[in-house]
Amino acid sequence: MSTLHTVNKSPFVNRTLESCLNHCKDGDAVLMIEDGVYGGLGGTAVSAIVAEKAGSVSIHVLTPDMEARGLSADRLLDGITCVGYDGFVELVTKHDRTQAWL
Amino acid sequence: MSTLHTVNKSPFVNRTLESCLNHCKDGDAVLMIEDGVYGGLGGTAVSAIVAEKAGSVSIHVLTPDMEARGLSADRLLDGITCVGYDGFVELVTKHDRTQAWL
Amino acid sequence: MKIGVVISEGPYTHEAADTAYNFVKAALTAGHEVPRVFFYHDGVNVSTRLSVPPQDERHIQNNWTDLAREHGIDLVVCIAAAQRRGILDRNEAERQGKDTDNIAEGFRISGLGQLIEMGIQTDRLVMFGD
Amino acid sequence: MKIGVVISEGPYTHEAADTAYNFVKAALTAGHEVPRVFFYHDGVNVSTRLSVPPQDERHIQNNWTDLAREHGIDLVVCIAAAQRRGILDRNEAERQGKDTDNIAEGFRISGLGQLIEMGIQTDRLVMFGD
Amino acid sequence: MSDVKKFLYVNRKAPYGTIYALESLEVVLIGAAFDQDVSLAFLDDGVFQLTRDQNTDGIGVKNFSPTFRALGDYDVTRLYVEKESLDERGLTADDLQEIMYEDEDDDWAEKPAIRIVSRAEMTDIMAEQDVILSF
Amino acid sequence: MSDVKKFLYVNRKAPYGTIYALESLEVVLIGAAFDQDVSLAFLDDGVFQLTRDQNTDGIGVKNFSPTFRALGDYDVTRLYVEKESLDERGLTADDLQEIMYEDEDDDWAEKPAIRIVSRAEMTDIMAEQDVILSF
């Protein structure tokens, strides 16, 4: 049994990503969408807290939201996976529930 | 010449109060309104950054928003002033411009 | 799988209605069923037929109306949230003594029970909001 | 003093329209002038006449309509923001081929120039939003 | 799967500044009629929804906090409140309203509906649910 | 007071997730007709509005970032970008679009409109304004 968590807020402004990561269990997945994709960037003020969790939790970013914001995949932290809307659907079905961190 | 800054977001979720305080000049005023009033509380995870600024900048909270949220004035940090909507208007007219930290 | 979707923010103002739209299309393409989309909070504003976005922007309400028609999706707008925000169908307009309604084709106004029912009857619930 | 006011969020959803209302009343009581309130972003949704909040809640649109009538406040709704969100007056509805309008008494739809003009002509500008 | 699903309402936002807290409560009240297994979670700024002595006369907005005390009548008897969220905000359990319910399995004894839990416990509660509604 | 006021548009939000960035730009374009002294400030997540290579095809939303490059034609020639905000986000000036304008006071020489400033400088710029519009 595992959960897909979605985060749609920028971690530089809003502490929601932090709260989400604090409530993940091993084997859960986090998908960053909309302004949440900034949370996947390397070399930022919040990269460390994401990198720390990236081992026990699988972390994904939504590619179309990355591209809209001019961010290429090579800016992402190691271990983060890019998915499209089809991958989003797969994550939803693969995990037992989805929790939106609104 | 001085500025009235208004902040309407909870500092526990959103870093806007922090950004506002980082852009205040000596003699400016900060008014916490709506969910921003939580920023005036003592003994919290963000009290220190507010207390540090409370000398050079005058800090106010909007009483009706405090009361709505069940917060009494004795929970506020030292040096913070309570004002009503009339005091809000006075702050607006007394300072040369108002900057809303939306 | 049956996937239920909730949209909690208004069109254009927030990306939620766009992300949900792209998600639902992908779910349908993958062979899943999306029996219902529930519009709550400012999400109810997606359902107005009076929206006139600039020609070079997407038409969010039309997109939903078309998708629902094509795939038989039940687009439910919460009545309590809709009343506060000025979204009415003909029945509601008459009942409230208003001179007009403004809901678009393909959307229907109903109660919050439809949200709970969707939670019970679907395999997954996905929320889009702020 | 002349104080201009901007409201950037929708009614009920966000406290902005309430805070602005209480602020404007206090400004008028203190003898200041509030020549115009400009509604932008989701703030345009304050102006719908179709809102039907529960009996025991405040009626935000009515409050603004009444205050504006009493004090001669110019309530201006941004046309570009209004079009996206489905707020129309009769002229706009006809021009866009829509079967109805939904704007309330006391509000008028106009361009963003009215916001800039307000900034130029008032002594202070106060924004309420999210 | 049984006919009864576990529903969790997650409340993370402060009251009055935005409508989410009020409209969340409206879902809880309607949802109570569906005989599901319902819990409420309050974390982050959501804990502010439960403070005592809310008085909204000054802002002209309806005070909905008394409604929480009626939840017991709707058989909503579990309100989980995260301790770490209280601590960060300088709050203790004493700052929250008293919300009681009558336990039908214990001869209708009056019991507190609010249960203060740790972040780790909250994480476990979330992971046990079938449906999570976020406000 | 002179007839010309100093207007500052403060942009603190990321593009596309919400509409504020786009609707801010719409005000700037209209406001340009009023012959005021106009500057734009980008700080906090607002700096993300100016990134290069934005491509919104995948989300189905209009890409408005090319409009920034047209600001020079509207005599909007000062876009202040806060260095600390870039740093926190792992960005440098090279990650931002090139936005040029022709300086009429310098024989129409092409110059960059984006000026990277420190937080202290941004604070000073804000304190010099007559009207501050926040988005």
Side-chain angles (χ1 to χ4, degrees):
Chain A
M1 298 285 282
S2 61
T3 301
L4 170 67
H5 303 265
T6 61
V7 176
N8 71 339
K9 291 192 181 51
S10 165
F12 303 109
V13 169
N14 190 292
R15 295 191 163 87
T16 292
L17 172 62
E18 213 174 312
S19 187
C20 168
L21 293 174
N22 280 334
H23 293 87
C24 282
K25 290 181 89 81
D26 290 0
D28 281 358
V30 173
L31 174 62
M32 299 167 172
I33 65 173
E34 301 172 357
D35 288 347
V37 297
Y38 296 117
L41 297 178
T44 76
V46 300
S47 296
I49 64 162
V50 180
E52 193 194 317
K53 207 73 184 179
S56 57
V57 168
S58 71
I59 300 185
H60 314 265
V61 298
L62 194 60
T63 303
D65 277 320
M66 289 273 294
E67 292 174 347
R69 290 158 180 81
L71 309 172
S72 58
D74 57 17
R75 302 191 81 106
L76 291 175
L77 281 163
D78 284 348
I80 292 192
T81 315
C82 294
V83 298
Y85 293 107
D86 53 342
F88 186 171
V89 172
E90 268 178 51
L91 284 166
V92 165
T93 56
K94 191 173 128 188
H95 295 278
D96 302 283
R97 69 190 71 75
T98 300
Q99 179 167 6
W101 289 79
L102 302 181
Chain B
M1 298 285 284
S2 62
T3 302
L4 170 66
H5 304 264
T6 60
V7 175
N8 72 339
K9 292 192 180 52
S10 165
F12 303 109
V13 170
N14 191 293
R15 295 191 162 88
T16 292
L17 172 62
E18 216 174 309
S19 187
C20 167
L21 293 173
N22 280 334
H23 294 87
C24 283
K25 290 180 87 83
D26 289 1
D28 281 358
V30 174
L31 173 62
M32 298 167 174
I33 65 173
E34 301 172 354
D35 288 346
V37 298
Y38 296 118
L41 297 178
T44 77
V46 301
S47 296
I49 64 162
V50 179
E52 194 193 316
K53 208 75 185 177
S56 55
V57 169
S58 71
I59 301 185
H60 314 265
V61 298
L62 193 61
T63 303
D65 276 321
M66 289 274 293
E67 291 174 348
R69 290 158 182 80
L71 309 173
S72 58
D74 57 17
R75 302 191 83 104
L76 291 175
L77 281 164
D78 284 348
I80 292 192
T81 316
C82 295
V83 298
Y85 293 107
D86 52 343
F88 186 170
V89 173
E90 269 178 50
L91 286 166
V92 166
T93 56
K94 191 173 129 188
H95 296 277
D96 302 283
R97 68 191 72 74
T98 300
Q99 179 167 5
W101 289 79
L102 301 182
Chain C
M1 246 185 203
K2 283 189 187 168
I3 303 177
V5 169
V6 180
I7 298 178
S8 302
E9 293 298 323
Y12 306 103
T13 300
H14 192 283
E15 202 184 336
D18 297 295
T19 310
Y21 177 72
N22 289 315
F23 172 83
V24 169
K25 280 201 299 182
L28 295 168
T29 300
H32 299 294
E33 206 183 321
V34 180
R36 180 177 294 163
V37 176
F38 192 86
F39 296 83
Y40 198 41
H41 304 310
D42 270 5
V44 301
N45 290 328
V46 170
S47 72
T48 177
R49 70 170 177 271
L50 301 185
S51 171
V52 191
Q55 299 285 353
D56 58 347
E57 284 189 41
R58 78 279 189 207
H59 196 303
I60 297 179
Q61 172 262 309
N62 278 353
N63 283 351
W64 280 106
T65 296
D66 292 346
L67 194 69
R69 186 190 301 118
E70 205 176 322
H71 296 276
I73 306 170
D74 186 20
L75 304 180
V76 180
V77 176
C78 169
I79 187 165
Q83 284 177 339
R84 278 195 183 94
R85 293 166 178 85
I87 298 288
L88 303 173
D89 60 13
R90 189 173 297 184
N91 273 344
E92 269 301 295
E94 277 176 19
R95 210 166 66 86
Q96 305 288 353
K98 296 288 183 182
D99 64 333
T100 186
D101 66 283
N102 61 343
I103 200 167
E105 193 194 321
F107 293 83
R108 69 182 178 94
I109 292 186
S110 188
L112 280 165
Q114 304 278 308
L115 167 58
I116 306 298
E117 193 187 85
M118 181 171 77
I120 295 170
Q121 296 178 350
T122 56
D123 302 297
R124 295 289 184 277
L125 189 78
V126 187
M127 296 188 78
F128 297 90
D130 186 34
Chain D
M1 246 183 204
K2 283 189 187 167
I3 305 176
V5 169
V6 180
I7 297 178
S8 302
E9 293 297 324
Y12 306 102
T13 301
H14 192 283
E15 202 183 335
D18 297 296
T19 309
Y21 177 72
N22 289 313
F23 173 83
V24 170
K25 280 202 300 183
L28 295 167
T29 300
H32 299 294
E33 208 182 320
V34 180
R36 181 176 293 164
V37 176
F38 191 87
F39 296 84
Y40 197 42
H41 304 310
D42 269 4
V44 301
N45 290 328
V46 170
S47 72
T48 176
R49 69 170 178 273
L50 301 184
S51 170
V52 191
Q55 299 284 352
D56 58 348
E57 283 188 41
R58 79 280 189 207
H59 196 303
I60 296 178
Q61 172 262 309
N62 279 352
N63 284 350
W64 280 106
T65 296
D66 292 347
L67 194 69
R69 187 191 298 118
E70 205 177 323
H71 297 276
I73 306 169
D74 185 20
L75 303 180
V76 180
V77 176
C78 168
I79 187 166
Q83 284 178 340
R84 278 197 184 93
R85 292 166 180 86
I87 299 287
L88 303 174
D89 61 13
R90 189 172 301 183
N91 272 346
E92 269 301 296
E94 277 175 21
R95 211 165 64 87
Q96 305 288 352
K98 296 288 184 182
D99 63 332
T100 186
D101 66 285
N102 61 344
I103 200 166
E105 192 195 321
F107 294 84
R108 69 180 178 95
I109 291 186
S110 188
L112 280 164
Q114 304 277 308
L115 167 58
I116 307 298
E117 192 187 86
M118 181 171 79
I120 296 171
Q121 295 178 350
T122 56
D123 302 297
R124 297 287 184 279
L125 189 78
V126 187
M127 295 189 78
F128 297 90
D130 185 35
Chain E
M1 195 170 62
S2 85
D3 280 358
V4 173
K5 281 191 174 184
K6 289 171 78 80
F7 274 71
L8 181 69
Y9 296 85
V10 175
N11 298 285
R12 295 183 50 251
K13 292 177 182 143
Y16 307 116
T18 52
I19 203 171
Y20 304 103
L22 167 61
E23 289 192 333
S24 170
L25 202 46
E26 293 186 346
V27 185
V28 173
L29 296 176
I30 298 288
F34 283 76
D35 289 325
Q36 303 295 303
D37 181 355
V38 171
S39 305
L40 274 59
F42 296 85
L43 64 155
D44 297 339
D45 277 355
V47 302
F48 283 130
Q49 294 180 26
L50 299 174
T51 55
R52 293 174 185 273
D53 301 328
Q54 297 180 16
N55 177 351
T56 57
D57 293 348
I59 60 171
V61 171
K62 187 183 158 194
N63 178 358
F64 60 86
S65 67
T67 309
F68 287 113
R69 296 200 292 272
L71 287 177
D73 302 338
Y74 290 81
D75 288 326
V76 175
T77 61
R78 289 186 305 266
L79 278 67
Y80 297 106
V81 176
E82 187 177 276
K83 184 168 186 310
E84 285 84 346
S85 296
L86 290 174
D87 291 347
E88 286 166 11
R89 287 157 184 80
L91 298 178
T92 67
D94 290 342
D95 295 314
L96 307 183
Q97 294 195 69
E98 200 168 56
I99 302 175
M100 306 298 288
Y101 74 100
E102 295 176 346
D103 187 350
E104 57 177 323
D105 297 330
D106 189 10
D107 199 21
W108 307 99
E110 277 231 320
K111 296 185 178 177
I114 290 182
R115 298 146 199 233
I116 312 283
V117 297
S118 70
R119 183 163 287 166
E121 288 169 321
M122 184 63 90
T123 302
D124 287 342
I125 290 161
M126 289 172 167
E128 285 165 4
Q129 306 299 320
D130 295 307
V131 179
I132 297 180
L133 294 165
S134 306
F135 296 96
Chain F
M1 194 171 62
S2 85
D3 280 358
V4 173
K5 282 192 172 183
K6 288 171 77 79
F7 274 71
L8 181 70
Y9 295 85
V10 176
N11 299 285
R12 295 184 49 250
K13 292 178 182 140
Y16 308 115
T18 53
I19 203 169
Y20 304 105
L22 167 61
E23 289 192 332
S24 169
L25 201 47
E26 292 186 347
V27 185
V28 172
L29 296 176
I30 299 288
F34 283 76
D35 289 326
Q36 304 294 304
D37 181 354
V38 171
S39 306
L40 274 59
F42 296 85
L43 65 155
D44 296 340
D45 276 355
V47 301
F48 283 131
Q49 294 180 26
L50 299 173
T51 54
R52 293 174 184 275
D53 301 327
Q54 297 180 17
N55 176 350
T56 57
D57 293 347
I59 61 172
V61 171
K62 187 185 158 193
N63 178 359
F64 59 87
S65 66
T67 309
F68 287 112
R69 295 200 292 273
L71 288 176
D73 301 337
Y74 290 81
D75 288 324
V76 175
T77 61
R78 288 186 304 266
L79 279 67
Y80 297 107
V81 176
E82 187 177 277
K83 183 168 188 311
E84 285 84 346
S85 296
L86 290 175
D87 291 347
E88 286 166 11
R89 287 158 184 80
L91 298 177
T92 67
D94 290 342
D95 295 315
L96 307 183
Q97 294 195 68
E98 199 168 54
I99 302 176
M100 306 299 289
Y101 75 100
E102 295 176 348
D103 187 350
E104 57 179 320
D105 298 330
D106 189 9
D107 199 22
W108 306 101
E110 277 232 321
K111 297 185 176 176
I114 289 182
R115 298 145 199 235
I116 312 283
V117 298
S118 70
R119 183 163 287 163
E121 289 169 318
M122 184 64 90
T123 303
D124 288 340
I125 290 162
M126 289 172 168
E128 286 165 4
Q129 306 299 319
D130 295 307
V131 178
I132 298 180
L133 293 166
S134 306
F135 296 96

